[in-house]
Amino acid sequence: MSKPDQPLDADELMDLAERAAQLPATEAEWVGRLFQEVLRARTHETELQAQPVSAPREAQPSGDELDDRLVQVAIDTAEWLRTLWDVGYMGAGSFRSQPRSAFPSIDLEDIRKSSLFARIRQGKHALPFPPPTRQGLPWHALLDDNGQTHAVNAEVIRDGVGPPLGAIIEGCAEWDVIEEVDGQEYVVQHQGKGPTYRLCVSGAATAELCREPPTSTRTIHLEGRSGFHSYTLEWPEADGSQIFVTLRAATWERAESEAERWLANTHPELYGQIRFERCED
């Protein structure tokens, strides 16, 4: 172990990450989040130290400090591996492993092709459920867009004259039909989780898919005390009571992102269907 007055080196950081991953699930979550905050602080410190330098650094990092780019890779990798373990999908193809049963083996090709890892590297939250697929590949862009219309190959599955059993969109047969508007227009949702979409089938293999706008609004409260600001999400429960969820955020954008993340973990069937409004108390 390093001395208390010296920063941890790369090997010690990775060793701590591995040890954190072996903790019980209830402990691993908060320890993992704390570890990520430590790594972010290390990154910020490195960026501040680099500001007075007129020319970009070209030398390799010394053994006592971790390059900021590698720190970010370590943060993103930790988030990726945690999602693989908790959620159980690779994000590079159709490969899946049951959560907490058998950790998936990962090779170089998986890292290069994983859209989940690419999503995390872009600074976006990993979702706690698999996204829709398009021709066998994860379709994260469909979850992220806001009102864009996609031309798709789609087919609505029926059994006789009854209501639709489901839909096959871009080769993915895991779409539920929530509502049949008419014979050519449907409201669909992937596996009962995430945003809802309007599917317009105009021909045998021609269709359009567009995300439905949010249908409900929830309030995020901004409170200021002694110069400090905090954000809290007000959420109504089914029994009529209200709960208040503390959001780890210092800005409105981050608060909204954290609220979306909480919603995805606690109410995945409503993810993407809630609009958040700010209230300054």
Side-chain angles (χ1 to χ4, degrees):
M1 295 295 292
S2 63
K3 297 180 179 179
D5 58 344
Q6 293 181 352
L8 298 173
D9 60 29
D11 292 335
E12 290 171 323
L13 284 171
M14 296 310 297
D15 178 66
L16 290 177
E18 293 175 357
R19 293 172 62 184
Q22 297 173 1
L23 292 172
T26 55
E27 301 294 332
E29 181 178 1
W30 74 265
V31 173
R33 295 180 67 179
L34 177 62
F35 184 69
Q36 290 184 30
E37 288 299 320
V38 171
L39 292 178
R40 289 191 182 96
R42 174 70 68 84
T43 302
H44 183 62
E45 179 185 11
T46 304
E47 291 173 349
L48 292 177
Q49 293 175 348
Q51 285 181 358
V53 181
S54 57
R57 291 188 303 174
E58 297 182 357
Q60 294 293 325
S62 65
D64 294 333
E65 66 178 71
L66 196 60
D67 178 78
D68 54 353
R69 181 177 59 85
L70 295 180
V71 169
Q72 188 60 56
V73 170
I75 294 173
D76 295 337
T77 302
E79 178 72 6
W80 182 46
L81 296 177
R82 184 194 64 79
T83 305
L84 294 183
W85 182 251
D86 289 344
V87 181
Y89 74 104
M90 177 63 73
S94 58
F95 174 85
R96 292 187 184 180
S97 172
Q98 292 298 320
R100 302 186 185 280
S101 59
F103 194 85
S105 61
I106 303 172
D107 57 28
L108 185 60
E109 197 68 10
D110 294 322
I111 297 173
R112 287 175 172 171
K113 291 186 176 181
S114 175
S115 61
L116 169 62
F117 193 34
R119 176 185 177 86
I120 295 171
R121 295 286 289 123
Q122 294 169 4
K124 300 176 181 178
H125 288 314
L127 296 174
F129 51 84
T133 60
R134 187 171 199 174
Q135 304 305 325
L137 297 176
W139 199 0
H140 286 106
L142 185 65
L143 296 174
D144 294 334
D145 74 45
N146 189 15
Q148 179 182 354
T149 299
H150 301 264
V152 296
N153 293 322
E155 177 185 1
V156 175
I157 307 301
R158 295 181 178 276
D159 182 13
V161 295
L165 300 177
I168 301 176
I169 303 175
E170 289 295 302
C172 178
E174 299 176 324
W175 287 89
D176 302 325
V177 176
I178 306 300
E179 177 186 356
E180 182 177 9
V181 181
D182 55 38
Q184 293 184 327
E185 192 169 318
Y186 309 86
V187 177
V188 298
Q189 187 180 35
H190 181 256
Q191 292 187 337
K193 300 175 182 178
T196 56
Y197 299 84
R198 189 164 295 264
L199 176 66
C200 300
V201 182
S202 57
T206 305
E208 292 183 342
L209 188 67
C210 182
R211 180 170 171 172
E212 292 277 85
T215 56
S216 301
T217 301
R218 297 292 183 267
T219 302
I220 296 178
H221 296 272
L222 169 61
E223 300 179 355
R225 296 177 181 176
S226 303
F228 294 94
H229 294 87
S230 62
Y231 291 89
T232 304
L233 171 64
E234 181 181 354
W235 186 265
E237 292 285 56
D239 60 3
S241 63
Q242 301 280 340
I243 64 171
F244 294 88
V245 182
T246 301
L247 304 175
R248 292 165 46 86
T251 65
W252 165 252
E253 290 76 14
R254 181 62 182 269
E256 194 172 22
S257 175
E258 289 297 314
E260 287 280 5
R261 186 175 192 174
W262 177 86
L263 185 62
N265 280 280
T266 58
H267 301 282
E269 73 283 358
L270 297 177
Y271 176 79
Q273 304 173 47
I274 303 294
R275 179 187 297 108
F276 298 102
E277 63 179 7
R278 177 167 55 179
C279 176
E280 297 187 10
D281 298 332

